[in-house]
Amino acid sequence: MRRRTAWLMLIVAVVAASVLVYPYLGLDIDDSRLDVGGSVHYYVLVGHIGTAAVALVLGPLQFMPRVRARRRIHRMIGRAYLFAGVLPSAVAAIPVAMWSGRVVTQIGLTTAAVLWLVTGGLAFRAARRRDFVSHRDWMTRNYALTFLAVTSRVLVPLLLLAQIPFRGAGAVGELATSVIPIGQTLGWIVNLVVAESIIRGRTRVPEARLDRV
């Protein structure tokens, strides 16, 4: 990944994380952007959002060449990303999805959470085995799932705008509730497709170089 791309992702991640976390800084249940069924639901949601923000911001740092070159710092940030970000956020995402009461959200976000845990675990195992190529590939997939927090918030408005010619502008508000779960599910699918294209692009470059020899 190019340095400029990593910096752009970091800027986007910081802005997105700030927007996501801000309503919950006061720990006031009345400020929740999502309907919650009580204090337990609320605090699990806060835990999910807070730790997701940690992963969202730390992830781009790991793709920066200067950070990767400093192995100790890279390892320290990576562990914070996985164990203070991905792991608790993914675990909390499952009950949050189940409590939503929407089938698409329950299936889509639970699947994303499980994949988030699996790819994170495989990335950690690859690093422990010093298989750094596989580690980078699995971390690319893992951060693609982390970046769902950004992608879904881009897709949902686009999906709503696409409905205006058919339903009219007045129906957008009514459609939001049903479109959000679709945007969330499409978000991680689109991100994984992009991640796989990046990974395959990296593998094709060395092969092209070998063909020239």
Side-chain angles (χ1 to χ4, degrees):
M1 184 179 291
R2 295 180 180 179
R3 183 177 60 182
R4 290 182 180 178
T5 303
W7 273 107
L8 178 60
M9 289 178 63
L10 178 60
I11 293 169
V12 171
V14 170
V15 172
S18 301
V19 172
L20 290 172
V21 171
Y22 180 75
Y24 301 93
L25 292 177
L27 296 178
D28 187 344
I29 194 170
D30 293 329
D31 292 333
S32 177
R33 289 184 177 177
L34 298 177
D35 294 331
V36 292
S39 59
V40 173
H41 186 176
Y42 175 73
Y43 286 112
V44 172
L45 175 64
V46 169
H48 165 64
I49 292 173
T51 50
V54 171
L56 190 63
V57 172
L58 291 182
L61 297 175
Q62 295 297 80
F63 296 107
M64 294 180 178
R66 288 187 179 182
V67 175
R68 290 206 309 268
R70 294 169 172 81
R71 293 184 179 179
R72 185 175 181 180
I73 295 175
H74 180 69
R75 186 164 53 247
M76 180 178 64
I77 294 174
R79 288 177 176 173
Y81 168 83
L82 286 174
F83 296 114
V86 173
L87 178 60
S89 187
V91 171
I94 296 174
V96 168
M98 292 296 106
W99 287 332
S100 72
R102 303 187 188 98
V103 175
V104 176
T105 299
Q106 291 171 338
I107 297 174
L109 285 190
T110 299
T111 303
V114 171
L115 291 174
W116 207 14
L117 290 170
V118 170
T119 54
L122 291 172
F124 182 76
R125 186 179 70 171
R128 296 282 291 178
R129 292 180 174 180
R130 304 187 69 80
D131 182 358
F132 298 121
V133 173
S134 294
H135 171 70
R136 184 175 61 172
D137 290 346
W138 283 116
M139 282 301 294
T140 300
R141 297 181 182 104
N142 187 266
Y143 192 70
L145 291 162
T146 303
F147 212 69
L148 164 64
V150 176
T151 310
S152 64
R153 283 160 180 80
V154 174
L155 288 176
V156 169
L158 292 177
L159 290 171
L160 288 173
L161 287 173
Q163 298 294 317
I164 291 178
F166 307 99
R167 303 288 189 91
V172 169
E174 298 175 3
L175 289 169
T177 303
S178 60
V179 169
I180 289 173
I182 297 172
Q184 291 172 333
T185 302
L186 283 177
W188 63 262
I189 293 173
V190 169
N191 286 0
L192 284 181
V193 170
V194 173
E196 288 302 320
S197 68
I198 292 172
I199 292 167
R200 293 191 179 191
R202 285 199 296 248
T203 59
R204 281 198 298 267
V205 170
E207 290 173 0
R209 290 175 179 171
L210 287 172
D211 290 340
R212 295 175 185 175
V213 177

